[in-house]
Amino acid sequence: VSAHPPYTMCFRVKFYPQEPLKIKEELTRYLLYLQIKRDIFHGRLLCSFSDAAYLGACIVQAELGDYDPEEHPENYISDFKIFPKQSQKLEKKIAEMHKNEFRGQSPAVAEFNLLLKAYSLETYGVDPHPCKDSTGTTTFLGFTAAGFVVFQGNKRIHLLKWCDVYKLKFEGKTFYVFGAQKEKKAVLSFHTSTPAACKHLWKCGVENQAFYKYAKSSQIKTMSSSKIFFKGSRFRYSGKVAKEVVEASSKIQREPPEVHRTSITQSRSSPSLNKQLIINMEPLQPLLPSPCEEEEVPLDEGESL
């Protein structure tokens, strides 16, 4: 967050604080709330039905305040587009929790409760990338502050800490993760739908590892990934790393800025980025790189992170 208005929060890699309790300013909590709210709407925060209802009730309380039977008709939750798809059963549960469990909570308190619940979920801070593992099972890969994660459904089945991941590589449609598990070397391979999606997955992995692993941006090297019969690709993350961002933020001295909340509720007519999403079960397809990112460079030997 910048020290003076206009306040901006801009990172090439999404930065999710590992402990929302340590966020000092209400403005920062509000910006993180908006980011997680967007992730929920785009299907990137996988969770159970009960957790989805709780998150939905937090959003409704933050934006509408206490339930008022004169202002809120029977199906008032249907005016909110909180999830990619939301059933009447889920809307009924959200309304029930909003009426009975959230009364009296200010917008700031409701937003903070959402942050605490989101932080408790295994998919907090994860952008899931759909692919298939070596057995052909549908799997979702993601990158977090802790490391490289693998999900099946909404259950995490693998976590490799960044210190245990020493190389990321792609060849065609296949993405490779070289790491260590219990002091033994391991190579995990995953298959994506297209070479472009695979390259995008590799680039996201390199960005996240550089952002979270290194203490200084000057330590980051140019990464390369070769293809056996084709030209290779190289990429270098540029910008501050997580430790530098936190240190710079801690040096900002100012009076807590006033928060001006804006209602950005999506209507039911708002198009979803993927109409085939299933509520809290299936995330988005990854965004494909722009044409300018498709430029290939001469083949170069890979360098381990």
Side-chain angles (χ1 to χ4, degrees), residues 53-55 57-58 61 66 97-106 110 113:
Y54 184 92
L55 293 170
C58 286
Q61 179 69 25
D66 291 345
M97 297 182 74
H98 176 226
K99 294 175 184 178
N100 302 321
E101 299 180 29
F102 286 80
R103 179 169 294 279
Q105 291 188 10
S106 66
N113 284 332

Side-chain angles (χ1 to χ4, degrees), residues 163-288:
C163 59
D164 295 328
V165 176
Y166 59 86
K167 187 175 182 180
L168 301 173
K169 179 181 176 181
F170 78 94
E171 292 180 353
K173 298 180 182 180
T174 307
F175 176 68
Y176 298 94
V177 180
F178 298 82
Q181 290 180 315
K182 297 181 180 179
E183 300 182 353
K184 293 183 179 180
K185 291 185 177 180
V187 180
L188 303 177
S189 62
F190 304 92
H191 306 285
T192 60
S193 57
T194 65
C198 194
K199 180 179 179 179
H200 178 66
L201 177 60
W202 170 74
K203 178 182 173 182
C204 289
V206 171
E207 282 188 319
N208 277 270
Q209 184 171 33
F211 183 72
Y212 288 113
K213 179 178 180 179
Y214 290 105
K216 296 181 179 180
S217 55
S218 59
Q219 298 174 325
I220 299 173
K221 300 178 181 179
T222 298
M223 300 297 117
S224 63
S225 187
S226 62
K227 304 177 185 179
I228 298 177
F229 301 109
F230 302 94
K231 293 181 293 183
S233 295
R234 302 174 69 187
F235 177 74
R236 180 187 177 92
Y237 171 76
S238 61
K240 292 181 179 180
V241 297
K243 188 173 182 180
E244 292 173 330
V245 171
V246 173
E247 289 177 351
S249 178
S250 66
K251 296 177 182 178
I252 297 176
Q253 301 295 328
R254 67 182 183 195
E255 290 296 321
E258 186 177 353
V259 180
H260 298 281
R261 290 174 171 80
T262 302
S263 178
I264 55 172
T265 306
Q266 294 97 343
S267 68
R268 279 205 166 273
S269 60
S270 299
S272 171
L273 293 183
N274 187 336
K275 294 183 179 180
Q276 295 180 348
L277 291 176
I278 301 175
I279 172 63
N280 63 43
M281 285 299 293
E282 184 176 346
L284 288 176
Q285 297 288 333
L287 297 175
L288 295 181

Side-chain angles (χ1 to χ4, degrees), residues 69-137:
E70 295 184 359
E71 295 184 8
H72 305 141
E74 182 177 357
N75 297 320
Y76 71 104
I77 299 298
S78 63
D79 292 332
F80 282 79
K81 185 60 176 173
I82 302 172
F83 299 95
K85 284 188 177 180
Q86 53 193 56
S87 64
Q88 291 184 350
K89 180 180 178 182
L90 179 59
E91 291 177 353
K92 182 178 180 181
K93 184 63 177 178
I94 292 173
E96 177 185 326
M97 297 182 74
H98 176 226
K99 294 175 184 178
N100 302 321
E101 299 180 29
F102 286 80
R103 179 169 294 279
Q105 291 188 10
S106 66
V109 172
E111 291 159 6
F112 187 60
N113 284 332
L114 179 138
L115 298 187
L116 293 179
K117 173 59 70 174
Y119 175 63
S120 71
L121 302 176
E122 288 189 332
T123 50
Y124 171 78
V126 177
D127 267 337
H129 297 256
C131 60
K132 294 185 182 297
D133 63 14
S134 56
T135 66
T137 304

